[in-house]
Amino acid sequence: MRGAEIVAVEAGSLAERLGLTAGDCILKINHKTFIDLIEFQWEWAAEEVSLEIMKSNGKSELYEIEKDYDEPLGVEFKKAIFDGLKACQNNCMFCFVEQMPSQLRASLYFKDDDYRLSFLQGNYITLTNLSKEDLVRIKREHLSPLYISIHTTDLQLRKKMMKNSRAGEVLEIMQDLSQAGIEFHTQVVACPEINDGEILEKTYQDLSKITGVVSLAVVPVGLTAYRHNLPKIRLYQKEEASRLVEWLEKKQRLELEKRGSRFIWAADEFYLLADWPLPSVESYEDFSQLANGVGMVRSFWEEWQHLQLPAVIEPAQEIIFATGLLGEKVLKPVKDRLNLIPGLKIEVRAIPNTFFGSTVTVAGLLTGSCLLKGLQEVKKGSTVFIPVSMVQSGDGKFLDDLIPHDVAKALELQIITVPLEASKILAKIIDGEGRW
């Protein structure tokens, strides 16, 4: 049954006053079916709205509503797309999904490439599966900004890297949409000696000439131990990362003088690999590529810098921050500052990724089995904080389908999932989550 299933209702909201509850499903709005959250929001903007609801008990009800045009319904839907996600039609040489082990849950193998999620959630898309109707809708409803995976503007190379003949249409499509007022945040997944160097220079030059392109992020390719029968790609070395950052910062200075914005940014991972100091918070401007790992470390450090820390922690606490190998550098200044507080002892435990392979160093891709191995020497009863990114993709499950409770029970530890926000981490410490 097509419709929008409600999973949560905000307290005091219009939805609560109407008696809507989790499990109810909106079938029609203003007597029309709708395929995604965008269509729903267009219809909801009216001051008189009708909703056809299938209640969780199976009964159908019709609500006639009078409201202010900007008053929200106050619900959270299970999904933002109600007619099925548009699937990716590429076979990129660096695709992470193609580098995963077998026998994981089915949802992890689905590759979405849906322009609606690009607009709604900032998902990166490739523009290789758009129909004429899709393009018309993007212009008509001004679905902007969109987030585009470019990788290269050498169109023959792009077709080769993505194994899709339509990959060569990218500049034409972007020019067309740009003329209609659509803006883009773009990214290049950089692969050593494949799409960097002179080819990256061309990509930068081409994108900087398209009016609608407002930012370009360069992120390093990620490789797992499961690249069987895939094209040969290697990781960046320190010297290569240093050269790339140096080149990119020169471009930033030129762009800042020309357009008043730096335009192009390198992922934090390049700075950490090159052992370069991270740029200032001001140099990331509006942090438009934050979710892409650009400025995330600087933003995190800045949060901690502005927090008022307690004078003492009573009773005393000992907490382990579990992270990936890359996260050790990120957490060190945080650990050092927190350890100045009497009554608090923080240890950072950098855990190798034994599930995807040692080349995967980010915390969000650690699994339950990685923690079982990496924390087995930790004293029983200890408190371990893990970032919520480890379990976000699986509704509380790690990528290997274990849950934090499984790890806690097996190792006799207290595992606490924490948001990637300094204030919320500190609140858990103050509230005694690490008390022993």
Side-chain angles (χ1 to χ4, degrees), residues 121-222:
Q121 300 176 4
N123 289 18
Y124 276 87
I125 58 173
T126 64
L127 301 179
T128 59
N129 65 349
L130 296 180
S131 65
K132 291 181 180 179
E133 291 75 20
D134 292 334
L135 291 168
V136 168
R137 184 187 181 193
I138 291 170
K139 296 175 191 176
R140 181 182 68 244
E141 299 180 9
H142 195 74
L143 303 183
S144 175
L146 296 177
Y147 294 74
I148 314 299
S149 289
I150 302 295
H151 309 318
T152 179
T153 57
D154 181 316
L155 301 184
Q156 292 304 314
L157 177 60
R158 191 171 195 256
K159 288 191 283 187
K160 179 181 178 182
M161 291 182 72
M162 302 173 73
K163 293 186 179 178
N164 188 331
S165 60
R166 290 197 62 189
E169 302 170 9
V170 62
L171 292 179
E172 181 182 348
I173 292 173
M174 290 179 69
Q175 290 281 13
D176 179 46
L177 292 176
S178 178
Q179 289 173 9
I182 305 301
E183 293 187 334
F184 311 98
H185 295 287
T186 62
Q187 74 163 352
V188 166
V189 174
C191 305
E193 300 181 294
I194 296 177
N195 64 335
D196 57 0
E198 292 182 3
I199 293 174
L200 181 57
E201 173 73 33
K202 170 179 167 52
T203 299
Y204 154 71
Q205 294 290 349
D206 289 341
L207 293 178
S208 67
K209 294 171 186 174
I210 299 177
T211 304
V213 178
V214 293
S215 74
L216 168 61
V218 183
V219 303
V221 66

Side-chain angles (χ1 to χ4, degrees), residues 57-76:
N57 61 10
K59 293 182 179 180
S60 181
E61 295 187 15
L62 182 66
Y63 296 81
E64 299 290 347
I65 304 165
E66 292 186 8
K67 65 177 188 66
D68 294 334
Y69 80 95
D70 59 349
E71 182 178 6
L73 178 57
V75 300
E76 178 185 344

